[in-house]
Amino acid sequence: MSGVPEHPPTHGAGAYGAVVLAPAAPGGVSARRHAREAAALFARLRADGVLTGLVAPGTGFPGPADVVVPTGAADGADLLTAARLLCVEPEHIAVVTDSPRLVRAAAACGFGLVAGLDGASGGRLRAAGAHLVIDRLDALEVPLPSTPGGPPWGGGHGGHSAWNLRHDGLDPAREGTREALCTLANGYLATRGSACEFPADGTHCPGTYLAGVYNRLRTTVDGRTLEHEHLVNAPDWTRLQYRTGDGPWFAPAPGNVLSWEQDLDLRTGVLTRRLRFRDGAGRTTRVTTRRFVSMERRHVAAQDAEFEAEDWSGALTVRTLVDAGVANRNVRDDAALAHHHLGDPHFTRPAPGVLLAEVRTGQSGVGIAVAARTTTVPEGRAGPRPDPVRPGPRAAGHELRLRLAPGRPARVGTVVAVTTSHDRAISTPALAALAELGRAGGVDELLAEHRTAWQSLWAAFAVSTGARGRQSLAVNLNTFHVLQTVAAADPDLDAGVPARGLHGEGYRGHVFWDEMFVYPMLTLRRPEWTRALLAYRYRRLPAARAAARAAGHEGAMFPWRSGSDGREETPSVLFNPRSGHWMPDNSRLQRHVGLAIAHSVWQYYEATGDTRFLIEQGAELVVEIARFFTSLTTYDPEADRWDIDGVMGPDEYHDGRPGAPGSGLRNNAYTNVMTAWLLTRAVEMVARLEEHYCGPLWQRLDLGEDEVARWDRIRTRLRVPFLTDGVIAQFEGYEQLAEFDWEGYRARYGNIGRLDLILEAEGRSPNDHRLTKQADVLMLLYLFSAEELRELLARMGYAFPAEAVRATVEHYTARSAHGSTLSGVVHSWVEARRDRRSSWAYLTHALDSDLADVQGGTTREGVHLGAMAGSVDILTRCYTGLELREGMLWLHPVIPPELPEVSFSLLYRGRPVQLELTGDALRLYLGPGPAGPLRLRLDDRVHELAPGRLHEFPIRSPGTPRTDARAAPAATAPDPEPTPHA
């Protein structure tokens, strides 16, 4: 009996990242007759990068599973426990069981595929709800994300390539996710991968976004007047209409499309779509479109379409349009808000085949110009003349009438230039757009230089893992989207790092603390990008100072959500669809965003040694943020401790004490420890800059010795709460909270990532329980090595031994809902040395955050850029143990057995280094140059690397004790602590 479904399953998402075996009793799956099959299945799944779990009574299972849940009589709660430990949503898990009872339980809990085992009882298993029944475990085949032709990530797959994301067939339900994953961008201009034939509707959402272009609107909803600022959806330049003969304009649909293939080439940043359709007259036509947003010319993008008649001859009419009738409709939760940000367009035709569209945003008054040139391709070849067309008041373009015949294809190309009034060194956006268009060549010429630009980027940013298609494709695609979002960063572009990239309208295009997860990837390769992006924060320093003063504080209080001008953009209320209520949104109390900015400033300085940056911008940011957090402290003379009250930590679920929502927390451990770190760095920075002339800077800041001395005092006496077992308490009063019914809620709701909404609908509050949305205390072990954190706490008067590190990780891992895509990144990091298998499971989940749309529909609103960058960063910094400290590189490798290798390039203080790590060796090549040797600390020894030579070091096997005096004693546990992190 075949274990392959004959048709794509309609249950679940159709792509399975994990398989869980759940025998009814010891005589079930683990019986001798299934032992060899189970071992073979687990080996095959592991080779494919698929996680495995076992829910079973007793022991004796014949092969290691990634997760084992020992139990008596297994039930749905045990299956959900396995899902939680695997960090995979139930809908992406296949359950295999020989028990009708467990079949019913798995189906009720929403597992994507439920397979019954043992054909003898196949009838009972099918009656219980099994989607398929197999006789043998090694006959099990499920659609996997790396399987060509299978229904994996967002309906796409990599086939046999780690550099191509492919989608086959129409899939309206996942079209929005495809559009986001196939977005093309260059850091200035981004265009979603939408089908060119459609305007915005319930399925399609064309979007073109320009970095830093926002507009503000007001909407009255349920008697409330809400003011909201959004990243603006600019005119759609991709619209393409075509029809055979005098028929209707073609609209792809299941009834007329014979085949549909879409391919995103990550190496070159080109989106190609091939479709064949048959019209009402029986004529078959092949259409191939290519689209790219130039990585060489930030204002330029292009699209061409080739039409070929297969079995007919005659006329084909083609229209290329610029549609200014777009609106911000990408986010369902914002459907009730006003969404028209553009005024009436003005169209002119400066030359034959050229259209100029001018439009202005309503409130911010940003002028946008789109100049579009339509020709047959290649340009210069005789062809039909494009005629002007105006199909509606907000759309205009050109129309061509082509003659087709079998074997005689025709190509139409559109090149566009987009500019705004934000651009430097221009007269008007219209003149600038026309000038850019005039300098741009044809489609083929532009494509050649675009490919060369991507080749240069990949030379700097590619990370090779030697893994099979699934993980390699995820690494490449995540890197690709990060690069697309930031590649235009320079001093002339006033834009930050939107948490959802330039890929949609999620979070309204705002900038959060997520940038802290992005900068490490950039700083070690293109540090000038990090400096330019940090300038976004520096320019908004006056607004942050004003916000602090308005709140009664000193220094600079940066907003949790930032947009155009640096004011707080966090909504005061949010709508809970579960309860139908508007509920307060107090997340603006997450003042720790300022700590993230200061941390990013210092990490950039450590990586580059760029003292000029500190003098010009960085020191001012650090000083003003230090002043703000100092002003939050109050002194307790009895304990000789400083306290911080009224803030929220990264957790986001807790916004106050029980019964006092919105009051903030007292002594959030993350905030207090990071404040101690900040003040330490501020004191150190002032001392370092004494060697340089900084008189005007200190005078402008009015910084004196007394203030620095106060920082020096506070940094050692901030209060940090602890539980009785040495675990760092998330905040003061945490120990008094009730435990949460995790299994009950998972059984009842399945996905509990938004426990805040679930509990509000029940009339309850997260403030009453020990739970977290994402890492809070554990963020400290993400940002610092265990040794560094121990030293930092010791200076504050607290002990944090190795056993407390382990207990802290275990405590919060068991109490996290993982409601943020960043959670998998942090937990993978902190588990890297404690539990490598768990670290790998978290990493694969983080890599899949958008490819598998793990939050169940949010990717369509934009990718999660922090998780994308953070997942790649785990490979390059976490598993190599890479730190930047004391003027040298620190490495302490710990590569998971699932990872054959990690190789990449980095730039440390202007010096190129190539690094390759395998299970038994570390190889580094320092590029030639006039500089002297590079100092490297590998585990407990310092080495000097000569330029122009390959250096190879053997790697100790996991569990071999370190001799570093700061490492935990080997007798306690081998490698008990999280990996070092700069």
Side-chain angles (χ1 to χ4, degrees):
M1 181 183 299
S2 172
V4 183
E6 295 182 4
H7 304 286
T10 56
H11 47 81
Y16 306 102
V19 172
V20 172
L21 302 187
V29 175
S30 56
R32 179 174 300 178
R33 70 189 187 90
H34 285 311
R36 187 175 302 171
E37 301 164 12
L41 173 65
F42 272 26
R44 173 163 56 87
L45 292 172
R46 186 170 292 107
D48 284 333
V50 180
L51 299 174
T52 56
L54 174 66
V55 176
T59 58
F61 187 73
D66 293 300
V67 164
V68 177
V69 179
T71 182
D75 57 18
D78 295 314
L79 297 176
L80 290 169
T81 297
R84 175 175 61 82
L85 294 174
L86 288 165
C87 301
V88 180
E89 293 297 331
E91 65 182 14
H92 297 295
I93 295 178
V95 172
V96 184
T97 181
D98 56 356
S99 164
R101 178 178 57 82
L102 288 179
V103 165
R104 287 189 292 270
C109 291
F111 283 87
L113 177 67
V114 183
L117 175 64
D118 194 348
S121 56
R124 291 191 299 112
L125 294 168
R126 284 196 183 90
H131 301 123
L132 68 153
V133 176
I134 55 177
D135 290 322
R136 300 170 52 88
L137 280 171
D138 53 7
L140 178 70
E141 295 183 25
V142 294
L144 301 172
S146 59
T147 305
W153 300 315
H157 58 86
H160 298 289
S161 169
W163 292 97
N164 297 81
L165 179 65
R166 298 181 176 129
H167 295 93
D168 300 324
L170 297 173
D171 189 350
R174 288 187 283 198
E175 179 64 20
T177 301
R178 290 184 178 186
E179 290 177 355
L181 292 176
C182 294
T183 294
L184 301 172
N186 59 17
Y188 173 91
L189 164 69
T191 295
R192 284 167 63 87
S194 54
C196 55
E197 295 87 356
F198 294 97
D201 54 28
T203 299
H204 308 87
C205 188
T208 291
Y209 307 100
L210 302 164
V213 176
Y214 293 90
N215 189 65
R216 192 176 302 275
L217 296 172
R218 288 182 177 177
T219 305
T220 300
V221 181
D222 294 341
R224 299 173 180 266
T225 298
L226 308 177
E227 185 174 298
H228 42 98
E229 185 178 66
H230 300 253
L231 187 70
V232 173
N233 190 2
D236 177 18
W237 60 273
T238 67
R239 284 296 307 283
L240 185 71
Q241 295 180 319
Y242 48 92
R243 62 185 179 189
T244 51
D246 295 322
W249 298 111
F250 175 68
N256 56 30
V257 170
L258 303 177
S259 64
W260 175 293
E261 302 170 0
Q262 184 170 286
D263 178 276
L264 175 61
D265 187 336
L266 305 177
R267 283 193 184 275
T268 62
V270 177
L271 181 64
T272 302
R273 190 201 63 186
R274 301 174 181 87
L275 74 85
R276 295 174 62 244
F277 73 91
R278 183 165 293 138
D279 63 20
R283 294 169 289 202
T284 306
T285 308
R286 186 185 304 270
V287 183
T288 303
T289 60
R290 294 184 306 173
R291 183 186 301 169
F292 61 94
V293 173
S294 175
M295 193 57 79
E296 178 67 19
R297 301 170 184 258
R298 67 170 58 181
H299 298 282
V300 174
Q303 176 175 272
D304 68 1
E306 180 179 88
F307 303 90
E308 182 175 1
E310 291 190 3
D311 52 12
W312 63 280
S313 299
L316 180 86
T317 305
V318 180
R319 284 180 174 178
T320 62
L321 302 173
V322 175
D323 183 3
V326 295
N328 281 54
R329 295 192 178 95
N330 178 232
V331 179
R332 293 190 181 102
D333 287 349
D334 288 344
L337 301 181
H339 44 259
H340 289 285
H341 292 274
L342 302 179
D344 293 335
H346 177 62
F347 296 109
T348 55
R349 303 181 187 277
V354 176
L355 172 73
L356 176 64
E358 298 174 81
V359 69
R360 187 171 294 275
T361 60
Q363 171 270 334
S364 56
V366 179
I368 302 172
V370 180
R373 180 177 66 229
T374 298
T375 62
T376 54
V377 181
E379 294 188 25
R381 177 183 294 179
R385 185 184 66 181
D387 294 322
V389 64
R390 185 77 180 268
R394 301 182 69 85
H398 291 91
E399 183 174 287
L400 299 93
R401 195 164 178 85
L402 308 174
R403 299 294 302 179
L404 296 187
R408 292 171 51 193
R411 285 175 66 197
V412 174
T414 299
V415 176
V416 300
V418 183
T419 59
T420 80
S421 55
H422 281 178
D423 297 335
R424 299 289 189 93
I426 67 170
S427 173
T428 68
L431 291 174
L434 290 172
E436 289 284 353
L437 188 66
R439 290 190 287 265
V443 173
D444 292 338
E445 179 184 348
L446 291 169
L447 180 56
E449 64 184 31
H450 167 73
R451 284 172 167 159
T452 300
W454 265 111
Q455 184 178 11
S456 175
L457 284 179
W458 282 119
F461 283 90
V463 177
S464 174
T465 64
R468 297 186 62 173
R470 172 180 175 147
Q471 281 79 28
S472 292
L473 177 60
V475 170
N476 291 336
L477 191 131
N478 289 1
T479 304
F480 174 81
H481 282 305
V482 173
L483 295 179
Q484 288 200 121
T485 303
V486 302
D490 67 22
D492 290 333
L493 181 62
D494 183 28
V497 184
R500 306 299 287 273
L502 297 171
H503 299 61
E505 297 157 20
Y507 301 153
R508 302 174 190 173
H510 294 158
V511 179
F512 293 69
W513 77 318
D514 302 56
E515 61 190 349
M516 180 169 65
F517 294 82
V518 176
Y519 288 143
M521 179 177 171
L522 311 182
T523 302
L524 287 174
R525 294 162 183 86
R526 291 286 179 89
E528 67 274 16
W529 287 358
T530 300
R531 177 170 178 163
L533 292 164
L534 285 170
Y536 167 86
R537 296 295 193 178
Y538 181 75
R539 295 187 190 100
R540 286 150 184 82
L541 190 53
R545 287 189 178 112
R549 287 195 303 271
H553 301 298
E554 300 173 4
M557 183 176 76
F558 282 92
W560 176 237
R561 295 173 64 154
S562 181
S564 62
D565 59 9
R567 76 179 77 176
E568 180 62 78
E569 298 294 349
T570 304
S572 59
V573 295
L574 62 88
F575 184 74
N576 185 353
R578 288 183 175 273
S579 66
H581 300 156
W582 289 93
M583 53 187 289
D585 184 349
N586 297 306
S587 55
R588 65 186 62 226
L589 295 176
Q590 294 191 74
R591 309 301 186 199
H592 64 84
V593 64
L595 297 166
I597 295 169
H599 187 270
S600 297
V601 166
W602 192 255
Q603 292 306 301
Y604 167 80
Y605 170 69
E606 284 281 6
T608 62
D610 187 354
T611 304
R612 179 51 49 188
F613 164 74
L614 277 187
I615 294 172
E616 293 175 353
Q617 296 183 357
E620 195 168 352
L621 283 166
V622 170
V623 166
E624 294 292 28
I625 295 170
R627 282 174 167 166
F628 171 69
F629 281 93
T630 299
S631 75
L632 291 182
T633 65
T634 56
Y635 183 58
D636 176 1
E638 291 186 10
D640 187 26
R641 287 285 181 187
W642 268 269
D643 302 295
I644 294 179
D645 203 353
V647 301
M648 289 176 63
D651 162 34
E652 296 191 10
Y653 278 166
H654 294 91
D655 63 1
R657 301 177 302 278
S663 62
L665 305 172
R666 182 174 177 82
N667 292 323
N668 170 252
Y670 174 79
T671 301
N672 287 20
V673 174
M674 285 299 294
T675 298
W677 172 88
L678 166 64
L679 298 180
T680 300
R681 296 286 80 80
V683 171
E684 178 184 349
M685 179 190 68
V686 172
R688 288 194 187 190
L689 291 180
E690 286 180 353
E691 302 174 5
H692 305 269
Y693 177 64
C694 299
L697 171 64
W698 304 141
Q699 290 176 12
R700 185 171 73 252
L701 293 176
D702 192 22
L703 181 67
E705 293 181 0
D706 290 346
E707 186 172 11
V708 176
R710 186 165 187 260
W711 294 345
D712 199 27
R713 170 65 175 157
I714 293 174
R715 73 186 178 93
T716 64
R717 301 303 297 167
L718 278 158
R719 195 189 311 269
V720 178
F722 283 82
L723 303 181
T724 55
D725 55 358
V727 169
I728 297 176
Q730 189 171 318
F731 47 82
E732 195 170 297
Y734 177 84
E735 71 283 357
Q736 300 171 9
L737 302 183
E739 291 289 1
F740 186 68
D741 180 12
W742 292 99
E743 299 307 327
Y745 271 76
R746 286 193 173 97
R748 193 181 318 166
Y749 292 101
N751 187 336
I752 57 172
R754 290 307 304 266
L755 270 176
D756 54 338
L757 304 184
I758 291 172
L759 291 175
E760 192 276 339
E762 294 181 349
R764 303 173 64 191
S765 170
N767 289 336
D768 300 330
H769 299 278
R770 295 188 186 188
L771 49 80
T772 62
K773 176 182 177 182
Q774 60 194 56
D776 193 296
V777 170
L778 296 188
M779 274 298 301
L780 296 171
L781 288 165
Y782 175 77
L783 295 175
F784 308 115
S785 69
E787 297 94 333
E788 285 181 288
L789 181 57
R790 183 175 299 119
E791 291 176 355
L792 185 56
L793 288 168
R795 289 195 296 268
M796 301 168 71
Y798 298 105
F800 195 47
E803 57 269 21
V805 176
R806 290 193 299 273
T808 298
V809 173
E810 291 169 358
H811 181 91
Y812 291 104
T813 297
R815 292 165 176 82
S816 176
H818 298 295
S820 166
T821 56
L822 295 175
S823 191
V825 173
V826 177
H827 281 265
S828 176
W829 200 293
V830 301
E831 293 283 12
R833 297 187 188 280
R834 195 181 75 96
D835 184 343
R836 290 189 300 160
R837 181 169 290 172
S838 178
S839 173
W840 180 253
Y842 280 118
L843 174 57
T844 56
H845 185 74
L847 284 168
D848 287 357
S849 292
D850 288 301
L851 287 167
D853 195 10
V854 297
Q855 290 188 332
T858 62
T859 297
R860 69 183 304 276
E861 300 168 359
V863 298
H864 298 80
L865 210 67
M868 283 189 156
S871 61
V872 178
D873 195 37
I874 289 171
L875 296 169
T876 58
R877 289 198 305 144
C878 176
Y879 290 157
T880 63
L882 174 61
E883 295 182 85
L884 310 176
R885 282 198 279 149
E886 302 175 18
M888 60 181 168
L889 293 177
W890 293 54
L891 291 169
H892 179 41
V894 55
I895 189 169
E898 295 88 350
L899 200 60
E901 69 175 36
V902 177
S903 62
F904 58 94
S905 301
L906 61 89
L907 194 67
Y908 177 61
R909 299 198 171 188
R911 309 185 68 179
V913 180
Q914 294 178 343
L915 185 152
E916 179 185 284
L917 174 65
T918 63
D920 55 12
L922 171 69
R923 301 174 184 87
L924 296 105
Y925 177 77
L926 177 62
L934 178 69
R935 296 179 70 225
L936 164 73
R937 179 163 182 153
L938 177 61
D939 293 331
D940 58 346
R941 295 187 59 188
V942 176
H943 307 267
E944 291 192 346
L945 307 186
R949 291 182 53 192
L950 178 66
H951 304 265
E952 183 168 341
F953 306 91
I955 297 300
R956 64 185 181 87
S957 60
T960 303
R962 293 175 63 177
T963 58
D964 183 352
R966 298 188 310 158
T972 301
D975 285 333
E977 299 167 358
T979 187
H981 189 307

